[in-house]
Amino acid sequence: MAGFVQIIEYRTSKPDEVAALMNEYRAKRAAENEGPTPVGGLTCADRDDQGRYFAIVEFNSYEEAMANSQRPDTTEMSERMMELCDGPGTFYNLDLLDRMD
């Protein structure tokens, strides 16, 4: 099984604004329909630590994820997201070895 997952751990007191930003970004990318895009994703809230969130984004490959990260619209969205966060995010880059559906 090949694939790549990026996890972004972040804290925010503005989760609704972050969600709206992500929805706007996804809609714009879907309308443009160009360049590498995630094949799936999840946004999760930590039940035991209020204000802590995780964005889990899956790509076909590490290379596609890095190409996506270098897009100007991705950079802009990331900068806007970090403005809504209570401190810097933490990024985890993971090779996908197995999946349980």
Side-chain angles (χ1 to χ4, degrees):
M1 171 175 289
F4 179 79
V5 174
Q6 187 169 65
I7 299 175
I8 303 122
E9 176 184 359
Y10 60 97
R11 292 189 161 280
T12 187
S13 55
K14 302 173 183 176
D16 293 338
E17 291 178 52
V18 171
L21 174 65
M22 295 305 297
N23 288 335
E24 174 188 321
Y25 173 74
R26 282 193 296 265
K28 183 178 176 186
R29 288 295 297 274
E32 291 174 357
N33 195 28
E34 63 181 52
T37 59
V39 295
L42 301 167
T43 301
C44 304
D46 189 332
R47 293 182 63 94
D48 300 320
D49 190 352
Q50 186 175 5
R52 182 178 180 208
Y53 297 87
F54 296 86
I56 305 165
V57 187
E58 183 179 348
F59 293 88
N60 285 320
S61 68
Y62 170 80
E63 293 76 18
E64 284 188 17
M66 294 304 104
N68 179 70
S69 293
Q70 294 173 8
R71 289 177 53 101
D73 60 339
T74 301
T75 300
E76 177 187 349
M77 182 277 304
S78 179
E79 289 170 353
R80 290 177 58 197
M81 181 180 168
M82 288 301 114
E83 290 173 3
L84 298 170
C85 289
D86 306 330
T90 302
F91 290 77
Y92 303 93
N93 296 309
L94 309 169
D95 291 322
L96 179 61
L97 302 178
D98 191 18
R99 174 196 317 256
M100 181 175 60
D101 291 322

